[in-house]
Amino acid sequence: LGFDVEKGLDTVFCLAPDTGATLWSTSYHGVQRAVDYHDGGTLSTPTVAGERVFVTSSAGWLRALDAASGEVLWARPVAREVGALPDAFGFSASPLVARGTVIVCVDRVVGVDERTGSILWNSDPLGAHHSTPTLFELRGRTHLAVFGSGELCVLDPDSGQRIYSHPWY
């Protein structure tokens, strides 16, 4: 995933593993943020899950791409739809795909149906602009961990409901 400063475009590149040659690329409008710290653009990493690639933008968009062609299957402004505002760097968490749900952090944690792009649930605001969520098992149950702006939050990965939190500073 790269950012073209002159054109204002984020671009997802699919590279051949043996030669590094570009197999396909897909571009869309990007936003240059925090120019005092870096050249701007999206700071997340695409996530490959089966035949799809999921990518977030610093503006809070989530896109599903076809892994073979790069064609955009669906795209939605998740942050805007759940009322989340970016900080100076925007949103930089990478998506997590689990049990048919794409989980993204855009201040709050949002669960999106991986096939349709429909929002399934969202958590309370956590200040999780840059935390890539992760799953873990505890006592035979799957949980979701996310660093918010001031606390580590443990959520139910099926509903986004808070199970536990602990200040991290």
Side-chain angles (χ1 to χ4, degrees):
L1 181 60
F3 179 68
D4 185 320
V5 175
E6 291 179 13
K7 295 180 181 177
L9 294 175
D10 284 331
T11 301
V12 180
F13 296 93
C14 177
L15 307 177
D18 53 347
T19 66
T22 301
L23 300 175
W24 56 258
S25 65
T26 299
S27 297
Y28 44 85
H29 175 73
V31 178
Q32 187 174 21
R33 298 186 183 275
V35 294
D36 292 341
Y37 302 105
H38 65 93
D39 287 336
T42 296
L43 302 170
S44 64
T45 302
T47 299
V48 179
E51 298 175 359
R52 294 176 183 227
V53 177
F54 298 94
V55 61
T56 55
S57 75
S58 64
W61 278 79
L62 175 63
R63 289 174 174 82
L65 310 177
D66 179 79
S69 68
E71 172 190 357
V72 177
L73 302 172
W74 54 259
R76 67 180 314 138
V78 173
R80 184 176 67 213
E81 291 178 343
V82 299
L85 298 173
D87 67 6
F89 293 100
F91 303 104
S92 61
S94 300
L96 168 69
V97 180
R99 302 186 295 207
T101 303
V102 184
I103 301 170
V104 295
C105 291
V106 289
D107 173 39
R108 64 205 72 221
V109 183
V110 182
V112 178
D113 184 281
E114 82 173 288
R115 289 271 166 221
T116 67
S118 298
I119 293 177
L120 302 171
W121 54 262
N122 66 88
S123 74
D124 294 329
L126 305 173
H129 292 85
H130 312 292
S131 173
T132 296
T134 189
L135 294 173
F136 69 97
E137 295 287 326
L138 179 64
R139 297 184 183 119
R141 185 172 169 205
T142 302
H143 296 77
L144 181 67
V146 178
F147 276 104
S149 60
E151 61 187 346
L152 169 65
C153 296
V154 177
L155 308 176
D156 179 323
D158 296 321
S159 69
Q161 294 296 309
R162 184 186 301 240
I163 297 169
Y164 177 79
S165 62
H166 183 77
W168 61 266
Y169 53 88

